[in-house]
Each structure stands twice: as C-alpha cells, then as structure tokens.
Amino acid sequence: MAQGTENYEKLLADAQTAIARRDELAAREKELAEAVAEKEKKIAAERELLRKTVDSTLKKRRSELESSYDGEIGKAEKRLRDARGRREKAKNQGVRDRIHEETAELREENTELREKFRSILKEDHAPVICRANLYYALYFPRCFSEFLTLLAFFAVCFAVVPIGIYLLLPQQRTLWLILIYLADIFVFGGLYVLIGNATRSKHAEALKDAVRCRGLIRSNRKKIRVIITSIRREGDDDAYDLGMYDDEIAKLEQELADINAKKRDAVSTFDSVTSTILTDEISAPGKKRIQELTAACAGFRNELEDIEQKRKENKIQIADQYESYIGRDFLDPEKLRALQDILSQGAAANISEAREVYRSRLEKQ
C-alpha cells in the first residue's frame, strides 16, 4: 500500500510541476503579448509622427518656395500696374490736349459770342434781367432745357405756391383757395406780363440779336460735345504717341510671364523630385527607429509564438496525463498539495479516496 501511495504522490507532484509550468508559460505569454502590443503601439506612433513631420516640412518648404516667387510676382505686377497707369495718364493728357486743340476755335467763337451778347444788351441799355438765362427760358425758349425750365417755373408759381399757402392756413375752405389762386395769378401773372411788355417791346431788336447769339453758343456747345464724345470713343491710340509706354508694358508683361513660368517649373520640380529627396532625408532617422522597434517587436512575437506552442503542448500533456486521473477541478496547486498531504498521512489509498477525504474535510469546515 505504501508503494502505491508513493506512486500517487509522485503523480501529484508531477502534476504540480506541470501546473506550475502552465502558469509560468501563461504569465510569460501575457507578458510577451503586452510587449508586442506596446511595441506595435510605439511603431504606429512613430509612423504617424514621421508622416506628420514629413507632411509639415514639405508643406513649409513648398510654401517658402511659392512665397519667394510670389514676392517677385507681386513686385512685377506693381511695376506693370504703374506702367499701365503712366500710359493711361499719358493717354488722358493726350486726349485732353487733342480736345483742347480741336475745340479751340469753337470755344473762342463762343467767347466772342458771349462778349457780343453783353455788348448788344449794354448798347441798347437793356435791363440786367435780360442777361439772365431764366429770362430767355420764360420769354424766348428755344431748347428742351429752357422749355423744361419754363414748365417748372409755372408749376411752382401757379401750383406749388398757392397750394402751399392754402395748406398752411388754420382752416381750408374752397373760397380761400380760389382767392389765393386769383391773388397768385394777379401777382405772378402780372409780373410776367409786366416784365415781358417792358422788355420785349422796348428792346425787341437787341433781344432778337441776343437770342441769335445764345442759339449760336448752344450750337457750338453741341459741336464741342460731339467732338469730345468722338475723341473719347476712338479706339485708336496711335495719335497719342504711346509707343514708349507700350514697349515698357510688353517688356513687363513678358517678365511677369517668365516669373510665373519659373514658379510653375520650380513647384513642379519640388513636387516630383525635391519632395522625394526631402522625404528620404527627413524619414531616415524615423525609419531607423521604426526598424529597431519592428525588429524588437518581431523578436517578442517569435518568442510569443514559441511560448504559445509550448503552452498548447503543456495543456495537452496535462489533459492526457493528469486530468483523467486527478480531475480537472483538482488541477490546482493548492488542491494538489492537499491531496498529496492526505496520501502521505495515510488517510487515503488512492487519488479517488483522497478526493473524497478532501471534500469531506471541506464540508466539515
């Protein structure tokens, strides 16, 4: 019997060793899995950091490259704007000079007509009112603006004034409105007739000549406006000697086009060549760190795979050699030691009896 219990005790001891080995392998497997996860996390962080570093550096370098060209482009555009401004200024001055030259005769004629107009009225001793534009609009209208002035004058005198006075009265009555209109007609109409009779009959010939002068002045003004419009609408700038400005503008336009072309080429070269070189230079230290981490991670992963394989073999060994004899519920270091003590104390002859003793003792506690 002693020999038999010794074999059972050895079986339990071997089972404890196998269980300890299982727990050791499981702990190491967990440790390696955590190490692999940590390394993979660091690798991902390094890759993200490297990507951001490369992107930010390339973006900065590209921006600096474009900024350098943009500064030169801005200067070239300003010189071009200034040149075009000088050309426009020279053209405007040429237009003004041409207008002044081509209308000089008409303007001189108008000056003489205005002087003649004043001389006629002065020699005929016509009242000062006969020199006013309003006088000719009221008594000798000849153009649209004068007819419009005449209409506005009568509208104010015979509509606005009487109605305004009527509305200012404390009480409005039809009789008062009639009386206001009669007074208005008497005052303004009387003044209109009185002034007309006093001037047109006494100074008829002078006024006739004055009206003729005013008509000639208006005709000359129309001619001047036609000349000005015609000159301003002309699309041909050859008359203004702008060749010097055109040559300068063409040169500056070509200079601007060349800078833009160089910028496009530089940016294209940067995108296709320089960016690749910079990426390699910037990535070198980061790639080295990633390679080191990857190698370390691969070492941990290989060891993990080895431990996983050993743990599987150990699990199979425990299932084959001990689980069927001892029972899965007793494959625990504490329980195995308890069974071993029961056998060594002679309280049981085999493992099954030792299990029953363990349970009975457990129930008594």
Side-chain angles (χ1 to χ4, degrees), residues 90-308:
K91 178 184 175 181
N92 292 336
Q93 184 60 47
V95 169
R96 286 193 294 270
D97 293 343
R98 185 178 170 190
I99 289 172
H100 182 79
E101 180 181 350
E102 295 188 14
T103 61
E105 185 177 346
L106 292 172
R107 287 185 289 103
E108 184 178 352
E109 185 178 344
N110 275 355
T111 301
E112 294 174 356
L113 288 170
R114 282 192 289 271
E115 186 64 31
K116 181 179 180 181
F117 169 82
R118 288 191 290 269
S119 298
I120 290 171
L121 296 177
K122 186 176 181 180
E123 290 174 1
D124 198 56
H125 302 289
V128 176
I129 193 174
C130 294
R131 300 179 185 179
N133 292 330
L134 179 62
Y135 175 82
Y136 293 93
L138 296 178
Y139 295 101
F140 303 98
R142 293 293 184 274
C143 62
F144 176 75
S145 61
E146 290 180 342
F147 280 108
L148 192 63
T149 301
L150 176 64
L151 180 62
F153 178 82
F154 280 111
V156 170
C157 292
F158 299 109
V160 176
V161 172
I163 293 175
I165 295 173
Y166 176 72
L167 293 175
L168 291 174
L169 295 176
Q171 295 180 347
Q172 284 84 28
R173 295 181 180 178
T174 305
L175 178 61
W176 292 356
L177 181 61
I178 294 173
L179 292 175
I180 291 171
Y181 258 103
L182 290 174
D184 184 80
I185 292 171
F186 177 77
V187 173
F188 289 106
L191 284 173
Y192 180 78
V193 174
L194 182 63
I195 293 172
N197 291 337
T199 55
R200 288 191 296 181
S201 58
K202 185 176 179 181
H203 306 283
E205 289 299 323
L207 290 173
K208 185 178 180 180
D209 291 339
V211 169
R212 188 181 299 110
C213 287
R214 286 172 58 85
L216 292 173
I217 291 173
R218 278 196 306 274
S219 177
N220 287 341
R221 285 176 179 171
K222 288 182 181 179
K223 293 177 182 178
I224 290 172
R225 285 196 295 273
V226 169
I227 292 171
I228 292 173
T229 302
S230 175
I231 291 174
R232 292 191 184 281
R233 286 181 178 177
E234 282 184 0
D236 187 10
D237 297 342
D238 294 341
Y240 307 115
D241 192 21
L242 302 174
M244 177 181 65
Y245 299 100
D246 291 335
D247 292 342
E248 182 184 6
I249 290 171
K251 180 180 178 181
L252 291 173
E253 287 176 341
Q254 184 59 48
E255 179 183 339
L256 180 60
D258 291 343
I259 296 174
N260 278 306
K262 289 179 180 178
K263 177 186 174 182
R264 288 192 298 271
D265 293 341
V267 171
S268 177
T269 301
F270 180 88
D271 292 338
S272 60
V273 180
T274 310
S275 61
T276 303
I277 297 173
L278 287 175
T279 299
D280 292 340
E281 292 177 355
I282 298 166
S283 302
K287 285 183 177 179
K288 184 178 180 181
R289 287 194 300 271
I290 292 172
Q291 289 172 354
E292 292 173 353
L293 290 171
T294 302
C297 184
F300 285 130
R301 188 177 286 107
N302 291 334
E303 187 178 354
L304 176 61
E305 291 175 356
D306 183 57
I307 292 296
E308 287 176 345

Side-chain angles (χ1 to χ4, degrees), residues 314-325 328 331:
N314 176 263
K315 183 177 180 182
I316 293 172
Q317 177 190 1
I318 291 173
D320 288 344
Q321 297 181 9
Y322 308 110
E323 191 173 309
S324 58
Y325 293 99
R328 182 181 296 179
L331 293 178

Side-chain angles (χ1 to χ4, degrees), residues 13-23 314 317-318 321-322:
D14 292 342
Q16 289 182 62
T17 302
I19 294 299
R21 178 60 174 166
R22 180 197 66 184
D23 294 341
N314 176 263
Q317 177 190 1
I318 291 173
Q321 297 181 9
Y322 308 110

